[in-house]
Amino acid sequence: MSPDLPPVAPSVTAELVEALSPRLRKRLDAGIARLAARPVVREGDLVRIAVDDETDVVLHAQGGTVSRADAIRCGCLLAPDCLHRAAAASVAPVAADAPVAEEAPVAEDAPAAQDRPATRSVDPGDPDAAPAGAHAGVTPAPAPAEGATVEQRAAARAVHAAAAAVLEAGTDGAGAVLQAELLRAAHTARLAGLPRAAAAAISVVTGVRAARSADPAYRLTDLVAALAATLGITRRVPHATGAELAELRGTVRQPYRPDGSLRLYGLFSEPVLTATGYAGVVTWTADAEGRLYTVSDVAPGGPARATGAADRAVRLGDTALTHRELSRAGLAVSGATVSPTGRLGAGAGVRAVRAAGAAWRAEPLDRLWSAPAAEQVARALNDGQDLLFLEVTLLGSVRESTGDCLLADCAGVPLRLVAAHDDPSLPYRDNLRLLAAARGSRLRIVARLVPGTPPRALLLATEHPTDPDARVDAGLDRLQRADLPADAVQDPPDTLPAGDEAPLHLLRRRVHQAVSGGRRVLALSASPHGEAGDGARLRRLGLATAGDVLDDLYSTAAVRSRDAFGRLLPSDAAPFARAWLAAAVCADAIERALCAGAWGAAADTASASGLLTHR
């Protein structure tokens, strides 16, 4: 996947791949690899890829997106039925399809179209792309009482089958043809009024492309989560009704509702840099009651936009504040419109002016840190508000297999703080290394919970190590050695001994292995059954359900039918996908429960187990 190319609509990629002859389809993956290495030149809305010295592929990205098949042209002799057009579409980032009117029903009292967000902030992999942190003051539109339509049930089954085929093959075997089938199914689901399933499917394609291209931003855990969401949502849609169906359908655009006048106080800003080619910044604010609101500026772009957007003006009312300034100042808003996730709209009737900010240790922001850590973690695990406002004592750095992390004490809980993004253009990791030298410093921080054990969180913002009235946005502000206490010493990272933890990795690694290598690799690596198997080990340690679903995953992966002559018959991907989904959901539920136990919180695993309600 090349970030230099404009996003291409899923329907375009599916159409071009489907038009290829069987012979060219076999050569498509090799053609994509060759085209990805060719130079790219952008001329306004036109992007040229030099196939060779005499032939170019031209993508016409009107409005920044390639939305029609005829917008991709090639100068070779075989055009328009050549391999180059399909390869160009397959190597480009995936764009969101154009919205369909009936996809996003909005309540009658919702604001008009001009009350959309100030800057387009939609990641193609997530139609509700605002960062986690639901805004409790907005009520969603009433849920329909009827079940899914015939078209929706058919679309859900098509997405499920295409996603199961990708799982069957694994990232190593899910080439452009399988990706195109999933993109076509996603487009059909969006037209049928299932934007959430479509977005999840597009996230799977994006993750598979990142894995196959060795993209440094690729994360296997993200792909596993996207695939589990796709399979889980599409399994439930044909059987769901009422509020459950409304949740599974999702919306293309979030409805914005009037919220009167707001007095907001800046908290921090965080850069956004996605694998789908979107970048920018999100600024978090809070009102006097502690409710969180966001102002975002996210659009197609790369690392330069992620770092530069913080110094762009906030497009909200009459204010000239930049995002960096807003994170430390305040905002008075009248005629505000707010989405269900707390994102502020910027309609013609919205007025906003600069106001005084507040320090983290002063009212009203001080109340955010007054809630016990266990209570905040329980909220993050149960309600989706994953920001943690913690007061910690820095203890140094710890070496892990994935890199060094910052160790801190949070009310007796040993907390590991890790970088929120590994891109070298963002100062997350450098700031963590410097903070590790400030041992003994007691700081207030804002972090995002990472479920699992030992307790772990992504560091987003922190108080300045030597200036209690200042704060540092970990992804935007770069600390210097002079910012540390005078007695700061940079010691080598400690290596902590492994603790006695539940062996969840026995289940988790097989779930991940299936996504990477496909069903065949999992069948070959299956552990022996009986008392010596991984399933038996999990049961002996009290994880009976995990042991059972792991044995079922192994058994399902190994089952292949043969004909009368002993030849392998085409496999049925559905049973394996069902067994894999059960293992993924079980591992997630156990991980959440272990995370809650490590923090002394209470977790509700109903949201995870709900994926398997209709087995």
Side-chain angles (χ1 to χ4, degrees):
M1 187 171 63
S2 174
D4 297 325
L5 298 178
V8 176
S11 57
V12 173
T13 305
E15 179 180 345
L16 293 176
V17 172
E18 187 178 22
L20 294 177
S21 65
R23 180 179 64 87
L24 290 180
R25 287 192 183 190
K26 294 179 181 179
R27 299 169 52 190
L28 180 55
D29 291 325
I32 291 173
R34 287 194 298 270
L35 202 66
R38 301 302 299 169
V40 177
V41 177
R42 184 180 292 270
E43 303 171 356
D45 288 344
L46 297 180
V47 179
R48 298 181 182 275
I49 308 175
V51 178
D52 52 40
D53 294 339
E54 299 179 353
T55 305
D56 289 345
V57 177
V58 180
L59 293 82
H60 184 201
Q62 186 174 7
T65 301
V66 178
S67 55
R68 304 188 321 276
D70 58 8
I72 302 179
R73 303 188 300 274
C74 180
C76 73
L77 296 177
L78 296 179
D81 299 324
C82 63
L83 182 71
H84 303 133
R85 296 174 69 218
S90 299
V91 79
V94 184
D97 277 330
V100 182
E102 61 270 25
E103 288 180 296
V106 180
E108 295 179 358
D109 56 344
Q114 66 266 23
D115 288 329
R116 299 304 182 193
T119 301
R120 185 175 184 272
S121 175
V122 179
D123 184 337
D126 183 2
D128 299 327
H135 175 56
V138 180
T139 303
E146 75 282 358
T149 65
V150 175
E151 292 79 10
Q152 288 174 341
R153 290 196 294 271
R157 293 188 180 101
V159 173
H160 189 90
V166 169
L167 175 63
E168 176 98 0
T171 56
D172 295 338
V177 174
L178 283 180
Q179 296 171 29
E181 292 176 357
L182 185 53
L183 289 176
R184 176 172 290 283
H187 178 63
T188 302
R190 186 173 290 267
L191 293 178
L194 298 175
R196 185 180 173 193
I202 291 175
S203 294
V204 172
V205 175
T206 299
V208 169
R209 289 184 177 180
R212 293 176 62 86
S213 62
D215 189 336
Y218 168 68
R219 296 291 181 271
L220 177 58
T221 53
D222 294 341
L223 178 55
V224 169
L227 193 54
T230 304
L231 293 171
I233 291 169
T234 52
R235 262 190 87 73
R236 292 166 60 193
V237 163
H239 313 282
T241 58
E244 181 188 12
L245 178 59
E247 177 189 358
L248 294 173
R249 282 175 174 169
T251 58
V252 175
R253 297 181 186 272
Q254 297 187 51
Y256 282 74
R257 295 172 176 272
D259 204 19
S261 297
L262 297 174
R263 177 65 169 91
L264 303 177
Y265 301 86
L267 278 169
F268 71 99
S269 295
E270 64 172 318
V272 175
L273 184 59
T274 73
T276 54
Y278 283 71
V281 66
V282 173
T283 298
W284 290 80
T285 64
D287 64 8
E289 284 73 39
R291 295 185 301 176
L292 301 180
Y293 298 79
T294 60
V295 181
S296 59
D297 182 354
V298 182
R305 194 180 196 286
T307 56
D311 296 314
R312 297 165 62 98
V314 174
R315 296 177 56 189
L316 189 68
D318 303 321
T319 180
L321 282 170
T322 66
H323 283 269
R324 194 185 301 272
E325 292 171 336
L326 176 58
S327 67
R328 291 158 174 81
L331 204 63
V333 185
S334 63
T337 57
V338 186
S339 78
T341 55
R343 186 186 303 171
L344 293 172
V350 178
R351 297 289 182 267
V353 296
R354 179 171 186 159
W360 281 1
R361 293 184 180 271
E363 289 294 340
L365 298 184
D366 180 68
R367 68 176 57 193
L368 293 172
W369 279 266
S370 63
E375 179 182 322
Q376 296 187 52
V377 170
R379 179 187 62 197
L381 293 174
N382 300 334
D383 301 330
Q385 163 54 283
D386 60 356
L387 289 188
L388 303 179
F389 300 88
L390 308 173
E391 190 157 353
V392 301
T393 300
L394 304 184
L395 303 178
S397 58
V398 178
R399 178 173 287 115
E400 295 184 330
S401 59
T402 56
D404 298 344
C405 65
L406 179 62
L407 183 64
D409 177 82
C410 178
V413 176
L415 172 63
R416 302 188 184 199
L417 298 170
V418 296
H421 204 289
D422 289 331
D423 192 283
S425 64
L426 303 177
Y428 281 117
R429 197 163 291 281
D430 293 338
N431 287 337
L432 283 173
R433 292 194 187 100
L434 280 175
L435 287 172
R439 292 193 178 194
S441 298
R442 187 164 183 81
L443 304 174
R444 284 190 171 183
I445 65 170
V446 182
R448 178 168 288 120
L449 178 67
V450 178
T453 55
R456 185 182 306 271
L458 308 176
L459 181 64
L460 303 177
T462 177
E463 287 181 324
H464 195 279
T466 56
D467 184 358
D469 295 327
R471 64 190 75 161
V472 177
D473 294 336
L476 296 171
D477 303 324
R478 193 174 292 274
L479 287 170
Q480 304 295 330
R481 174 69 62 176
D483 296 319
L484 300 180
D487 58 349
V489 178
Q490 188 71 48
D491 294 330
D494 296 327
T495 302
L496 296 183
D500 295 330
E501 298 178 7
L504 186 60
H505 65 277
L506 296 176
L507 178 61
R508 177 68 75 185
R509 71 182 179 184
R510 296 310 183 190
V511 170
H512 288 186
Q513 188 179 44
V515 174
S516 295
R519 174 177 181 169
R520 178 178 300 180
V521 171
L522 192 63
L524 294 175
S525 62
S527 68
H529 291 285
E531 293 302 318
D534 290 341
R537 181 182 174 189
L538 288 169
R539 283 188 288 271
R540 285 196 300 270
L541 294 170
L543 301 178
T545 302
D548 292 343
V549 297
L550 181 57
D551 285 346
D552 186 42
L553 181 61
Y554 282 144
S555 300
T556 309
V559 170
R560 290 293 301 272
S561 301
R562 297 179 182 270
D563 61 14
F565 299 99
R567 296 171 298 191
L568 286 174
L569 296 173
S571 60
D572 183 3
F576 178 67
R578 182 170 59 251
W580 179 87
L581 179 60
V585 170
C586 180
D588 180 70
I590 295 174
E591 189 172 63
R592 288 161 57 88
L594 292 175
C595 177
W599 287 88
D604 178 10
T605 58
S607 58
S609 60
L611 290 173
L612 296 180
T613 300
H614 303 286
R615 290 197 63 184

